[in-house]
Amino acid sequence: QVQLVESGGGLVQPGGSLRLSCAASGSIFSQFVMGWYRQAPGGQRDMVATINWTGGTDYADSVKGRFTISKDNAKKSVALQMNSLKPEDTAVYYCYYNSRTGRAWGQGTQVTVSS
């Protein structure tokens, strides 16, 4: 089964940048979707960005133009570059994997945007 480990979260001022990384272990099926979800305190876990095996991407309206998702198939990893961060981006960010052979969630990494 696939396991996911996130890194790169932390505290940043409004307008700053962070880069989140997600490393996968186990057998990755050739056709997959990976992405990032986030959950603010008291809120729902919502999709932020996804990328599939062809490189196709999807973004939440709230992050379009600010966040960029990318992948490295050889390293079995996915990253989320977050620019122009806003206080409303504060949340726990979770990496996600899905394929015909299984699905997995990372443990979550905290992102706090505050001055």
Side-chain angles (χ1 to χ4, degrees), residues 52-64:
N52 67 26
W53 74 100
T54 72
T57 58
D58 194 17
Y59 295 92
D61 288 343
S62 59
V63 308
K64 287 180 180 177

Side-chain angles (χ1 to χ4, degrees), residues 6 17-18 20 27 29 46 67 74 88 102 107 110:
E6 303 105 329
S17 298
L18 284 173
L20 306 182
S27 297
F29 191 66
D46 297 323
F67 292 9
E88 51 263 45
Q107 82 286 351
Q110 177 70 48

Side-chain angles (χ1 to χ4, degrees), residues 8-14 16-20 82 85 87 90-91 109-115:
L11 174 65
V12 65
Q13 292 186 332
S17 298
L18 284 173
R19 184 177 177 87
L20 306 182
M82 305 185 295
L85 283 161
T90 295
T109 185
Q110 177 70 48
V111 172
T112 302
V113 184
S114 176
S115 59

